[in-house]
Amino acid sequence: MGRPSMKAERLEQILQAFYRCVARFGLEGSTLERIAEESGLQRSLVRHFAGNREDLVQQLAERVVERSNREWGEYLTHLPAQGTVEALLDSLFDDRYSDAEFVLVVESLIFAAGNNPALQQLMQAWMERFSEDIESVLRKGFPGAASEAIASVSFGLISLYFNLDSLAPLNMANRYRLPARRAASLLIQSLAQEEQS
C-alpha cells in the first residue's frame, strides 16, 4: 500500500490546526499566521497546500459536517429500544459526552454562513438533519404528541445543547450542565403532559 501523498498529509495537518484555532479564536480570529503557527508550517505552505481562506473555510466545514454526520449516525443506531429519550438527553447534557471544541467550531461556521451562500447551504442541511433526527427520537417516545409540540421541544433541546457548551470559554459549562439537563427534562415532561391531555 502506498504512502499518503505529502499534500494529503499537509492538508490534514493544516485542517486540524485550523479546527483548533477556530475553537480558540473563532473563524475571524483564525488568521493564516495563527494557522501556520499552530500547524508548524510556514504561512506560504498553508496557502500552497490548502488554498485561499475561502477554500480553507469550505474544507473545514465539509470535514466538520462529514465527521458529525458519521458520528451522529453511528450514535443513533446504538440508542436503546427502551429509554431512548433519556439516553438522548444523557448524551446531549452529560459532561462525559461533551465536546465544547466541536460546538464552538460549529457555532463559528454557522455565524460565518450569513455571508457565504455555499457555507450557509451546507450548515442548513446539517442543522436540518440534526433537528429532524431529534424530532424522530421524540416522536417515537411520544407518539401521541402533536407535531408542533415535538418540533418546539426539539428546538429547545438543541438550543440548550449549543448554549451549554458555548460557555466553555468562560469556564462555566459545568456550572450550568445540571440546570440545562433539568430544563431539558422539563421540556420532555411537557410532551408527556400533552399526550395525557
Side-chain angles (χ1 to χ4, degrees), residues 18 21 32 36 71 74 132 138 145 184:
F18 190 28
C21 285
L32 286 177
E71 290 176 1
E74 289 171 9
E132 287 168 5
L138 295 176

Side-chain angles (χ1 to χ4, degrees), residues 71-86:
E71 290 176 1
W72 178 246
E74 289 171 9
Y75 167 76
L76 290 174
T77 63
H78 291 96
L79 277 173
Q82 299 294 321
T84 309
V85 173
E86 282 300 311

Side-chain angles (χ1 to χ4, degrees), residues 105-127:
V105 170
V106 165
E107 287 177 343
S108 292
L109 292 168
I110 289 171
F111 183 75
N115 299 320
N116 182 329
L119 181 59
Q120 184 179 63
Q121 187 176 19
L122 182 66
M123 298 311 294
Q124 280 176 341
W126 175 83
M127 188 65 185

